[in-house]
Amino acid sequence: MGSFSMIARQIKTQVDATLSPAILSAHLASRALSELNAVIKSGEAPDYYDKFVDGRKGVPESSVKPDGIIVYRFNWLAPCLEYGLNYVKKRSPVDSGTFQDSWLAIVNGSICPPDSFKDIPLDAEVMITNFQPYARKIEVGAMKTISASKGILTSTRSALRRRFRNLEITRAFITIPPGLIEGVPYVLKKRKTVRNRKTKQITQVQQTMTYPALIITRRI
């Protein structure tokens, strides 16, 4: 499958003006479906998309007006997420398998299972992250015993950028909100020193762990 890119295609047809409106609508619907199947089969587009017929979302192509418009908006986030998760898992160190199995997708702040990828909104913020407490150490190469796995998300980002050029893909260290995953985020043993400039008071506060992640959004 080749690299995904933006697709903008207008179908122009010449038909007999004497045909009935019903036949003209059927002809337009047939051509639209034919083009849709062709770009999906060729790998130019994913099979995740929103459909608009004369501005109405989700209605059948057959309802198009004789001079109407059918628009397909392809959702690149779903295939990007699928590809990205497979990529990080293949490059993860495998001992007990816990780290490899701890990769997950977070969509707009909620965990998104694979069977829901097709429902990801086009304007969603998608993240790939690993919730194990040593995920950051592995990413930055601080675990000497598995240094060969350094930069898993860095290499994944490069691979995704080459393949999904119409998406914004960045690496960051995020805080996982409490309650999203049981026992996460972890609290670091080392406390952070905070100094109040006015009162000169020094306090020690707990620090929550941050986790390496890829943040994926649609390029405007």
Side-chain angles (χ1 to χ4, degrees):
M1 186 181 296
S3 297
F4 291 133
S5 59
M6 296 295 288
I7 296 176
R9 184 174 300 175
Q10 184 176 7
I11 303 171
K12 296 182 179 180
T13 61
Q14 292 183 348
V15 296
D16 188 344
T18 64
L19 296 176
S20 69
I23 293 177
L24 291 173
S25 293
H27 179 77
L28 178 56
S30 177
R31 282 298 309 276
L33 285 168
S34 178
E35 290 292 325
L36 172 67
N37 292 329
V39 294
I40 292 176
K41 185 177 181 179
S42 68
E44 291 182 80
D47 56 358
Y48 301 111
Y49 57 87
D50 287 338
K51 176 179 57 179
F52 299 86
V53 179
D54 295 330
R56 296 169 296 160
K57 183 177 179 180
V59 300
E61 286 84 351
S62 58
S63 66
V64 69
K65 296 177 181 178
D67 58 348
I69 298 174
I70 299 175
V71 175
Y72 299 103
R73 290 182 181 173
F74 294 103
N75 189 342
W76 306 98
L77 291 171
C80 180
L81 191 51
E82 290 177 345
Y83 187 86
L85 283 172
N86 287 330
Y87 198 96
V88 294
K89 288 179 179 180
K90 288 180 180 178
R91 283 153 183 78
S92 295
V94 179
D95 185 7
S96 65
T98 300
F99 181 77
Q100 189 180 52
D101 293 337
S102 296
W103 291 103
L104 53 79
I106 299 177
V107 177
N108 289 339
S110 299
I111 295 176
C112 184
D115 59 0
S116 296
F117 288 178
K118 58 181 175 55
D119 300 319
I120 296 175
L122 290 170
D123 59 351
E125 179 185 72
V126 174
M127 291 191 291
I128 295 174
T129 191
N130 191 301
F131 60 86
Q132 288 303 318
Y134 45 85
R136 183 183 183 114
K137 286 187 176 182
I138 292 178
E139 181 66 23
V140 300
M143 293 189 71
K144 296 180 180 180
T145 55
I146 50 176
S147 58
S149 298
K150 176 183 177 181
I152 295 174
L153 288 179
T154 301
S155 61
T156 303
R157 178 189 59 188
S158 298
L160 292 179
R161 281 179 171 178
R162 289 191 298 268
R163 193 177 184 87
F164 301 91
R165 298 175 184 175
N166 56 321
L167 298 177
E168 291 288 348
I169 304 169
T170 58
R171 192 193 75 156
F173 290 92
I174 65 167
T175 300
I176 297 178
L180 195 63
I181 305 169
E182 185 177 357
V184 178
Y186 298 93
V187 176
L188 299 175
K189 292 181 180 180
K190 183 179 180 180
R191 291 174 174 264
K192 181 180 180 181
T193 301
V194 178
R195 293 180 173 84
N196 189 309
R197 292 185 179 182
K198 292 183 178 180
T199 64
K200 307 300 182 180
Q201 184 178 0
I202 298 176
T203 57
Q204 300 288 324
V205 297
Q206 290 183 328
Q207 294 186 81
T208 54
M209 185 172 292
T210 57
Y211 302 81
L214 290 183
I215 301 176
I216 306 168
T217 56
R218 182 169 61 94
R219 182 172 294 167
I220 305 301

